[in-house]
Amino acid sequence: MKRLLLLIALFCGVSATLSAQSGKKPIENTHELRLGTYALTPYIWQHYDSMNQPGYSKEYDRSKFIGGDFVDIPAQALTYTYRTSKVMEFGAQLSYSGSFTPYYSIYTGEHSHTDSWQYVTLMPYARATWLNTPWVRLYSSFAVGFTAEFHGKEQRDMFGAVQFTPVGITVGRELFGYGEILTIGSNGFATLGIGYRF
């Protein structure tokens, strides 16, 4: 916990310094929307681990059902930010991920039910741009918030969430693509997507 607080304080300090050093010129395209897909979402791994725990089979009598193929949805994230200076942007990120397993009767072969684990994450978000050219931007970002976990339609848990990107890149102007290969956190460890500035 102390390391997390220290990381947040360090990021805020660097962000404030960069923001103070930015010029007084008018800021263009102050709003930004992004839609991205993460890879290697940790919540999906957690779901696989839970299937091997002793209590899992008690939810469904697996002697009567056979499971079909898993359908996994890695974290899909919508991010909105508002640019307050040439360097700093603040906003929020909303993401969704899930894993679905259909079950079939071993007697009739008919679909019986679908077991699902779904995760909705909301995080306040800050981004510091440290290379800003007309077509290419390099940045770092940090977000911290919470995740709601659902098993079927029932909410099972709520826990903290964090996402840190040391280096991200955007290519384009109003309409752009972006990638974050080194990102670490609750949504995943790499992301690609598109965005729009207005």
Side-chain angles (χ1 to χ4, degrees):
M1 185 64 178
K2 289 182 180 179
R3 290 182 180 178
L4 178 60
L5 292 175
L6 182 60
L7 184 62
I8 293 171
L10 179 62
F11 183 81
C12 291
V14 171
S15 299
T17 302
L18 291 174
S19 183
Q21 291 176 353
S22 62
K24 300 290 185 178
K25 296 178 181 179
I27 305 166
E28 298 178 357
N29 301 328
T30 54
H31 303 275
E32 183 178 293
L33 281 174
R34 294 187 181 195
L35 182 61
T37 299
Y38 283 85
L40 306 175
T41 302
Y43 298 137
I44 302 298
W45 301 347
Q46 176 183 322
H47 164 63
Y48 289 143
D49 290 342
S50 70
M51 292 191 305
N52 298 319
Q53 295 174 2
Y56 185 84
S57 60
K58 294 179 181 179
E59 306 213 16
Y60 303 112
D61 184 353
R62 287 196 282 184
S63 65
K64 297 179 181 179
F65 304 105
I66 184 169
D69 294 334
F70 292 103
V71 177
D72 292 333
I73 302 175
Q76 310 293 306
L78 177 65
T79 307
Y80 166 79
T81 57
Y82 179 80
R83 182 174 290 275
T84 58
S85 72
K86 289 291 185 180
V87 174
M88 291 306 305
E89 296 171 73
F90 298 94
Q93 183 179 82
L94 178 66
S95 62
Y96 168 85
S97 61
S99 184
F100 301 83
T101 308
Y103 282 88
Y104 303 88
S105 169
I106 63 172
Y107 304 114
T108 65
E110 294 182 354
H111 178 259
S112 170
H113 58 274
T114 297
D115 189 28
S116 67
W117 292 87
Q118 302 175 76
Y119 304 89
V120 178
T121 301
L122 179 63
M123 294 185 283
Y125 183 95
R127 183 186 304 130
T129 300
W130 40 273
L131 175 66
N132 192 345
T133 71
W135 282 92
V136 177
R137 293 182 182 178
L138 295 178
Y139 62 88
S140 301
S141 66
F142 184 77
V144 60
F146 64 90
T147 296
E149 177 188 65
F150 297 86
H151 187 199
K153 296 181 179 180
E154 178 186 351
Q155 182 177 339
R156 283 295 184 89
D157 203 356
M158 185 171 288
F159 38 84
V162 65
Q163 195 73 34
F164 175 58
T165 301
V167 181
I169 183 171
T170 69
V171 179
R173 305 191 77 155
E174 284 81 11
L175 183 64
F176 61 91
Y178 74 94
E180 299 174 352
I181 306 303
L182 301 177
T183 189
I184 301 168
S186 304
N187 283 332
F189 298 96
T191 181
L192 294 173
I194 59 172
Y196 182 66
R197 301 182 182 108
F198 58 98

